[in-house]
Amino acid sequence: MQKTALYKALGIAFGALLVTACANNGDLEEGAGAATTATEQQANEAADSATTGVESASLQGEQMMSDAEKAAQQALLDITVFYFDFDQSSIKESGKAALSAHAAYLASNSSARIVLEGHADERGTPEYNLALGERRAIAVRQFLMAKGASSSQIKVVSFGEEKPAVTGSTSSAYAKNRRVEVKYQSR
Amino acid sequence: MVTRVLFVLALVLGQIAHAELVIEVTQGRQSALPISVVPFEWNGALELPEDISAIVNNDLGSSGYFRTLDRSLMLATPHTPQDVNYVDWQRLKQDYLVVGQISSAEGGYAVEFQVLDVHQQRTLIHHRVKGKATQLRDLAHYISDHIFGQLTGIPGVFSTKMVYVTTNRERSRFNLNFADADGAREQLIFRSDEPILSPTWSPDGKKVAYVSFENGQSEIFFQELATGKREKVVAWDGSNSAPSFSSDGTKLAFVHSRLGNPDIYVMDLNTRKAERITKHYGIDTEPQWMTDNRHILFTSSRAGGPQIYKLDTVDGSVERVTFEGRYNARARMTADGRKMVYVHGNGDQFHIASQDMESGRVRILTRDTNLDESPSVAPNGSMVIYAATEKERSILAAVSVDGEVKFRLPSRFGDVREPAWSPILN
């Protein structure tokens, strides 16, 4: 599901590149519309004056992803849970690559929608933890938006300590419960 | 096959719904008064469905103010002062003796009881109460309240109720329950597949407010207890939580947050207009009205970690009130306004602390339970009920405000959380 969508996105980008490349080669597309083509315009201008414009548009290439890179990108998108330190809502360095991949995906798929679910571990009070979970989800939201995702694509909800990922009162259980989960509603 | 699945399902749900709690006293007061509640006389043909004197015995014993005598140790079972041989009870080192008789009354029962002073050999209390056939437990709690109030000078709270949340291990079902303060007669009043939290009572005891995630975000609801009628009160876009009624019942403080900045709001319950009263970028949450209906205690992260602050809703001034330790949150007041109790955290230890409002003196009340949270004070200011974690399960426990009396209310199934003790109901 995730993969097809990604390839679709890459496909569109590649298609666009081809069109640009063709236009630059001077091959006119049929039925391109009512607008006068560049060559026609140049011809008209040439008739009216003594000067002649030169074709000066530079080529713009796009780095194509190798299969390995695609796989790496997909692997990052498969990471949907991001962890936090106790009473903290700052994103850890280790999660930034994957979050950047989600941001890029959202930026190139404007119809994609996500919910960021913020959670806290069971220590401390339920209501303070509700606020903490929300802060964490908001931190992720801000990161995604800074990297190109739009606010309309992101909904935030905090469950505080009410929905632990794992039960148990150990530091490893706590670490797994202090998290934000990225949940795609539509791709 | 389908019926069988349904049957099993009903069984499982039934177990979660009836997480009936049973009091286990873990620590009593050293100065507890010795009292013997003699089984009351009943001459009816059939045994009564509830043992009134056993309930009175349990109430007085669990309060920590009294040390009760086991029935098997009693040398005689008198029902009137004329039958009492005081020497027997003096030998058993008893101070007080409760005797009584139950009789059929129109549509129910009547209980006549007396409290006797073993040393002075005289009657201190002589009282009679009537109730419907369905009210045997109510009759017992009434008797306990009467005896407790007369002998200690503190109003009894045995007839009060509580609400609390129970949930399964998978956190796929959440129940809001209503029960007697001793955990008996549990009733499910609301259930959801999504979290329920922060239940709290209106001061008249007629409704509860709570937070429900049933619509995908946290919203505040009111629910009338008599009718079950629900009303969605605050469902603004974002997160809405932590409702608290002012003690005159005219205002509701709550928390609203959009984009990660929780602030405290106050709603006038007549006009339903709300006003934002904290504007700090830190986390402001867990408002609790003080008894003067003007000040609000709340938790804020404005100094880094959570600490408790006092806000004047008239002039907007804010004053910090907790200074010991790095984590102090969720303050609740005693009804006389003299003490607050809250969650005090130190590293991985979270306990319930009490603080004198005037002197600022702090006392940690709970050391034998872990991850303590959600304290709620009995309306007579004597006990605090709270949620704690034991063997990776959440249970309810209680401690007296002076830390001397402790009991637990373990449930047989699932996790029990977020207790809220009712006001005194009349």
Side-chain angles (χ1 to χ4, degrees), chain A residues 44-147:
Chain A
N44 293 340
E45 280 167 8
D48 291 346
S49 61
T51 57
T52 307
V54 291
E55 176 73 65
S56 64
S58 59
L59 292 178
Q60 270 196 323
E62 190 176 313
Q63 193 64 44
M64 296 303 295
M65 273 194 209
S66 68
D67 284 352
E69 282 169 328
K70 279 181 203 165
Q73 193 75 359
Q74 184 55 49
L76 286 175
L77 284 177
D78 286 344
I79 299 171
T80 56
V81 186
F82 300 89
Y83 300 97
F84 294 79
D85 289 331
F86 178 65
D87 200 21
Q88 295 299 313
S89 55
S90 46
I91 295 165
K92 293 186 182 183
E93 279 305 317
S94 56
K96 286 184 177 170
L99 281 176
S100 300
H102 286 289
Y105 181 85
L106 291 168
S108 54
N109 295 275
S110 59
S111 61
R113 295 284 181 277
I114 57 166
V115 174
L116 298 174
E117 286 186 5
H119 300 270
D121 70 38
E122 64 177 338
R123 293 174 296 169
T125 68
E127 285 147 345
Y128 188 80
N129 281 335
L130 200 61
L132 203 53
E134 190 190 0
R135 288 239 150 163
R136 288 172 178 157
I138 291 291
V140 171
R141 177 182 182 270
Q142 279 165 350
F143 185 91
L144 295 176
M145 284 170 61
K147 299 252 172 188

Side-chain angles (χ1 to χ4, degrees), chain B residues 342-377:
Chain B
Y342 54 87
V343 176
H344 173 80
N346 204 344
D348 265 0
Q349 303 289 311
F350 288 82
H351 292 304
I352 307 299
S354 76
Q355 184 166 328
D356 188 279
M357 293 307 281
E358 210 171 288
S359 70
R361 209 174 80 91
V362 179
R363 182 168 175 168
I364 312 293
L365 304 179
T366 58
R367 292 223 185 260
D368 32 19
T369 50
N370 289 316
L371 296 171
D372 305 340
E373 62 185 27
S374 308
S376 174
V377 188

Side-chain angles (χ1 to χ4, degrees), chain B residues 144-296:
Chain B
S144 305
D145 282 339
H146 194 82
I147 295 171
F148 186 89
Q150 295 283 313
L151 296 185
T152 67
I154 303 164
V157 289
F158 306 108
S159 300
T160 56
K161 307 285 180 179
M162 59 179 173
V163 292
Y164 49 90
V165 176
T166 54
T167 172
N168 57 354
R169 303 256 60 192
E170 297 74 32
R171 297 288 190 270
S172 57
R173 179 162 290 274
F174 295 82
N175 294 334
L176 183 63
N177 297 296
F178 171 96
D180 289 0
D182 63 3
R185 293 191 288 189
E186 182 182 81
Q187 278 175 267
L188 176 64
I189 60 168
F190 174 65
R191 76 169 178 216
S192 173
D193 297 341
E194 295 296 332
I196 301 168
L197 64 164
S198 312
T200 190
W201 293 77
S202 65
D204 63 5
K206 292 199 162 78
K207 60 177 175 263
V208 288
Y210 55 86
V211 171
S212 169
F213 279 79
E214 66 200 73
N215 298 319
Q217 64 165 22
S218 49
E219 298 171 335
I220 298 169
F221 289 79
F222 286 174
Q223 183 168 329
E224 270 179 30
L225 291 165
T227 60
K229 201 181 120 211
R230 299 174 80 224
E231 183 194 355
K232 188 154 74 177
V233 181
V234 189
W236 301 345
D237 186 31
S239 169
N240 310 286
S241 63
S244 168
F245 288 96
S246 60
S247 52
D248 62 6
T250 63
K251 289 170 284 194
L252 184 81
F254 63 95
V255 173
H256 171 69
S257 176
R258 236 180 74 74
L259 305 183
N261 183 22
D263 275 310
I264 293 170
Y265 290 70
V266 169
M267 179 182 277
D268 179 319
L269 287 174
N270 290 319
T271 63
R272 294 294 167 105
K273 284 205 178 93
E275 191 190 346
R276 180 177 168 190
I277 56 165
T278 63
K279 296 190 168 74
H280 199 278
Y281 61 83
I283 292 170
D284 290 336
T285 187
E286 301 175 333
Q288 162 78 14
W289 284 96
M290 294 180 68
T291 42
D292 63 5
N293 289 312
R294 170 172 173 167
H295 293 89
I296 287 175

Side-chain angles (χ1 to χ4, degrees), chain B residues 131-153:
Chain B
K132 287 185 224 144
T134 53
Q135 288 184 302
L136 285 168
R137 288 198 81 90
D138 299 304
L139 282 169
H141 292 316
Y142 175 93
I143 294 165
S144 305
D145 282 339
H146 194 82
I147 295 171
F148 186 89
Q150 295 283 313
L151 296 185
T152 67

